[in-house]
Amino acid sequence: MAFSLSSRARLTRHDLGRFSNSTLFDRLARAICEVGCLPRKELYEAWEMAKRVRRHVRGGRVVDIAGGHGLLAHALLLLDDTSPAAVVVDRVVPPSAATLHTALIAAWPRLAGRLRFESMDLDDVALGAGDLVVSCHACGALTDRVIERAAAAGASLAVLPCCHDLSSCDTGDLSGWADGALAIDMTRAIRLKAQEYQIWTMKIPEEITAKNRLLIGNRVSLD
Ligand SMILES: C[S@@+](CC[C@H](N)C(=O)[O-])C[C@H]1O[C@@H](n2cnc3c(N)ncnc32)[C@H](O)[C@@H]1O
């Protein structure tokens, strides 16, 4: 059977042989296989998002909102050591977070002491202009709150939206031309650009997820 990148099956030690190279991705995948607590799809989503974000935004404290297990935050630090620290914010931090964190610290001791998990609502985390705020699959209007909070702080940001909700998200009156979910994401991008942000719009591979539109923004310096 083909190895589907969108599978929700957990990566386990049985999959180790699929990741036998010395690349950072394969080393990360092997560490995840060893602990057996993460769906395959989530490895690929976090990695493909982190890679693209780091092409445009370097450094900054990483704030991974609705971060769940926090793999995205770990990957962003691994890809750019100039980020001093990361905080993973989620209303409910899942048990897989601690398991994954321990395994990744064992594989990359330089991460020790640089990541923390906060069980809180996204509205309660303090953000600053030096932060890189990221969110992978914050459902529906949650993505809008992430963007609003990041933009209010002047932080860099990257979101991979999902669960587009036509009743609570703004289609910008564009849904006569584009499907509702696309209209919502275009409206998010246009609004961010109007707030003195340089934006990048791109996709992660569709074989991983159909909710694959990635919006990245960097506050344009006004001085
Ligand atoms: C679809 S999951 C995404 C998790 C992770 N980013 C990923 O890609 O696997 C959405 C997450 O949002 C969190 N969440 C929902 N509402 C929230 C809120 N108001 N503040 C912080 N986290 C929230 C949930 O607990 C859940 O972990």
Side-chain angles (χ1 to χ4, degrees):
M1 207 202 296
F3 185 72
S4 163
L5 306 189
S6 63
S7 167
R8 292 180 194 278
R10 286 180 188 193
L11 287 166
T12 68
R13 302 198 80 247
H14 294 294
D15 297 304
L16 280 170
R18 300 180 189 279
F19 306 103
S20 56
N21 292 325
S22 58
T23 58
L24 179 59
F25 174 73
D26 276 19
R27 287 161 56 210
L28 182 62
R30 286 200 298 273
I32 290 169
C33 290
E34 289 287 358
V35 289
C37 65
L38 217 79
R40 189 187 301 168
K41 173 180 192 284
E42 293 180 15
L43 163 65
Y44 287 100
E45 281 173 358
W47 178 256
E48 294 295 330
M49 180 170 174
K51 228 173 42 173
R52 285 165 178 76
V53 171
R54 282 312 193 192
R55 286 182 198 140
H56 298 286
V57 189
R58 308 292 295 179
R61 179 187 70 144
V62 172
V63 185
D64 182 0
I65 296 187
H69 43 63
L71 177 59
L72 177 59
H74 287 79
L76 285 164
L77 290 198
L78 287 175
L79 286 167
D80 181 7
D81 236 356
T82 67
S83 271
V87 53
V88 181
V89 176
D90 202 296
R91 234 167 25 184
V92 184
V93 176
S96 58
T99 311
L100 183 70
H101 181 63
T102 304
L104 298 186
I105 297 287
W108 288 278
R110 70 175 192 270
L111 294 180
R114 290 168 62 196
L115 287 109
R116 64 174 215 276
F117 289 84
E118 296 283 2
S119 296
M120 60 163 71
D121 191 277
L122 74 91
D123 287 330
D124 297 328
V125 62
L127 299 174
D131 291 338
L132 164 58
V133 176
V134 296
S135 195
C136 176
H137 288 170
C139 309
L142 205 59
T143 287
D144 293 305
R145 283 165 65 200
V146 173
I147 298 173
E148 279 161 26
R149 293 252 20 241
S156 299
L157 69 94
V159 293
L160 189 77
C162 71
C163 307
H164 299 77
D165 177 0
L166 299 185
S167 63
S168 62
C169 301
D170 186 1
T171 61
D173 298 329
L174 296 171
S175 56
W177 291 345
D179 83 75
L182 178 58
I184 288 168
D185 286 339
M186 285 167 53
T187 302
R188 288 168 170 154
I190 291 163
R191 187 177 297 151
L192 189 62
K193 195 172 162 72
Q195 289 177 270
E196 313 289 354
Y197 269 77
Q198 178 180 14
I199 63 164
W200 294 271
T201 57
M202 61 196 77
K203 292 177 179 176
I204 69 167
E206 196 152 9
E207 308 87 78
I208 301 169
T209 174
K211 302 296 178 192
N212 63 343
R213 281 190 287 273
L214 175 60
L215 172 62
I216 301 175
N218 229 349
R219 186 65 165 266
V220 175
S221 170
L222 298 176
D223 42 55

